[in-house]
């Protein structure tokens, strides 16, 4: 958010831009044998820890308790629920993996970038768009916010998801977006 933060949570107006110096990339690889695999990131999803308790404390304070796998999992669950509600069949196995250069826990929306990337992969893999799920394209940033806030309990506002969704469109990516988030709109 360039201007207006945190008014996006209170029906205000904001101006947001995409910072292209940082990115989260989600890759979907089909699995002919079926099943869904969420690949943990070597640095951000470490489940084993070889250091001492002091080092564990430092890395936990720096990186938190969770990585991107939970974000991909919650996005997959939300996507499956949307497909179910729209009576759209989504079969086929795949593996999802992510990479990110977004600095963690500094307010640059790295978690939503992973959610946006995952949702875009799922839509492309299944040959769907928002309309096929019974949604308007303008509703997709709300889907991303719902994954974070409702599924995972992450405190978040709408503006970051709007700029990320529109900045990652295949056609004519936006780099600056003005938002009027008035509740009556």
């Amino acid at each position: 958010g360039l201007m207006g933060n945190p008014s996006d949570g209170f029906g205000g107006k904001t101006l947001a831009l995409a910072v292209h110096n940082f990115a989260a990339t989600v890759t979907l690889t089909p699995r002919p044998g079926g099943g869904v695999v969420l690949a943990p990131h070597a640095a951000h999803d470490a489940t084993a820890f070889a250091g001492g308790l002091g080092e564990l404390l430092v890395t936990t304070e720096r990186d938190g308790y969770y990585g991107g796998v939970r974000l991909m999992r919650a996005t997959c669950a939300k996507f499956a629920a949307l497909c179910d509600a729209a009576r759209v069949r989504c079969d086929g196995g795949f593996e999802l993996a992510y990479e990110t250069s977004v600095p963690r826990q500094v307010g640059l929306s790295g978690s939503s970038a992973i959610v946006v990337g995952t949702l875009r992969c799922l839509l492309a893999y299944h040959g769907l768009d928002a309309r096929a799920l019974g949604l308007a394209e303008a509703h997709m940033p709300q889907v991303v916010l719902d994954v974070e806030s409702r599924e995972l309990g992450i405190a978040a506002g709408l503006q970051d998801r709007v700029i990320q969704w529109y900045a990652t469109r295949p056609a004519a990516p936006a780099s600056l977006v003005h938002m009027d988030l008035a509740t009556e709109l």
Side-chain angles (χ1 to χ4, degrees):
L2 182 63
M3 296 173 62
N5 195 27
S7 70
D8 59 327
F10 305 99
K13 295 179 182 179
T14 65
L15 189 61
L17 61 112
V19 179
H20 295 282
N21 299 42
F22 304 111
T25 303
V26 179
T27 305
L28 187 148
T29 306
R31 288 180 44 113
V36 174
V37 174
L38 305 175
H41 189 278
H44 304 304
D45 292 299
T47 55
F49 190 81
L53 285 176
E55 189 178 343
L56 182 137
L57 175 62
V58 169
T59 58
T60 301
E61 287 174 344
R62 181 190 70 217
D63 299 332
Y65 290 100
Y66 308 105
V69 168
R70 76 181 182 134
L71 298 165
M72 293 187 301
R73 182 181 184 120
T75 307
C76 287
K78 180 69 172 178
F79 179 76
L82 290 171
C83 289
D84 189 51
R87 299 179 193 259
V88 173
R89 188 171 174 181
C90 292
D91 292 329
F94 56 86
E95 179 175 339
L96 283 170
Y98 76 98
E99 187 59 53
T100 183
S101 63
V102 180
R104 295 180 66 151
Q105 300 179 333
V106 295
L108 291 177
S109 304
S111 61
S112 60
I114 293 170
V115 174
V116 166
T118 302
L119 187 54
R120 288 222 178 266
C121 281
L122 292 168
L123 288 166
Y125 177 66
H126 294 288
L128 302 173
D129 59 14
R131 288 174 300 168
L133 298 176
L135 302 171
E137 182 73 14
H139 188 75
M140 297 309 286
Q142 182 65 51
V143 170
V144 175
L145 179 60
D146 289 347
V147 168
E148 292 183 83
S149 61
R150 292 186 181 162
E151 299 291 324
L152 296 171
I154 297 172
L158 187 57
Q159 74 171 323
D160 296 334
R161 286 104 204 119
V162 171
I163 185 64
Q164 287 175 333
W165 186 260
Y166 287 103
T168 60
R169 286 182 303 174
S175 58
L176 186 66
V177 174
H178 172 259
M179 293 167 243
D180 185 348
L181 301 164
T183 54
E184 62 272 8
L185 298 176

